[in-house]
């Protein structure tokens, strides 16, 4: 299983690498320690930036209750389960990644070295 994940990550990197050249880095991705919850200071930062700026801000979640909540409030989010292609494109467009956990959001190793990680 571990080898399959590494092979998938390598294939995804090879496919998406040319896209990185053409995509404008303008997205901010915010999440908390677990994609199943919507809490902590990152939640308040996400809502503040979403409502009070023109920045393109996205919350990372895999929880259907959270996605419904965000849809009702017209807030941006990304999820591997709902729209994998959008998840990959927004990840490639990331300029800033904010995370309250011990390691930052980096699915399949797609986040560049130049991305600001907070």
């Amino acid at each position: 299983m571990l080898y399959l994940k590494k092979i998938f990550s390598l294939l995804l990197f090879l496919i998406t690498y040319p896209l990185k050249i053409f995509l404008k880095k303008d997205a901010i991705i915010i999440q908390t320690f677990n994609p199943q919850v919507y809490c902590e200071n990152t939640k308040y930062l996400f809502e503040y930036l979403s409502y009070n700026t023109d920045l393109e801000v996205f919350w990372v979640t895999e929880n259907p209750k959270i996605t419904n909540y965000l849809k009702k409030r017209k807030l941006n989010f990304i999820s591997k389960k709902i729209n994998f292609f959008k998840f990959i494109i927004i990840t490639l467009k990331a300029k800033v990644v904010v995370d309250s956990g011990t390691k930052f959001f980096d699915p399949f190793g797609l986040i560049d070295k130049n991305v600001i990680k907070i």
Side-chain angles (χ1 to χ4, degrees):
M1 186 67 175
L2 181 64
Y3 293 116
L4 186 59
K5 185 176 179 181
K6 286 184 179 187
I7 290 170
F8 179 73
S9 293
L10 180 62
L11 284 172
L12 191 59
F13 173 79
L14 293 173
I15 292 168
T16 59
Y17 186 76
L19 288 174
K20 289 182 182 184
I21 298 168
F22 300 107
L23 291 174
K24 181 180 176 189
K25 297 272 187 188
D26 62 355
I28 298 173
I29 298 175
I30 301 177
Q31 75 169 9
T32 189
F33 64 92
N34 182 344
Q36 296 293 328
V37 296
Y38 184 63
C39 63
E40 297 191 354
N41 292 334
T42 51
K43 169 192 170 186
Y44 300 109
L45 176 64
F46 168 71
E47 289 181 0
Y48 177 82
L49 292 174
S50 295
Y51 290 129
N52 298 309
T53 66
D54 293 331
L55 300 172
E56 195 173 8
V57 185
F58 295 87
W59 184 266
V60 180
T61 185
E62 298 301 331
N63 187 324
K65 290 181 183 179
I66 297 171
T67 58
N68 289 336
Y69 174 85
L70 296 173
K71 282 179 187 177
K72 287 178 186 175
R73 284 153 184 79
K74 297 181 181 172
L75 295 169
N76 295 326
F77 66 91
I78 54 175
S79 171
K80 288 184 263 185
K81 293 179 183 176
I82 294 176
N83 189 338
F84 187 74
F85 183 71
K86 178 182 176 185
F87 181 83
I88 296 299
I89 295 298
I90 298 302
T91 301
L92 293 172
K93 290 177 62 175
K95 184 174 186 175
V96 176
V97 174
V98 179
D99 195 337
S100 68
T102 55
K103 80 176 207 185
F104 66 92
F105 172 79
D106 188 11
F108 313 112
L110 295 175
I111 300 291
D112 284 346
K113 292 182 273 185
N114 300 332
V115 173
I116 299 169
K117 299 157 192 93
I118 302 171

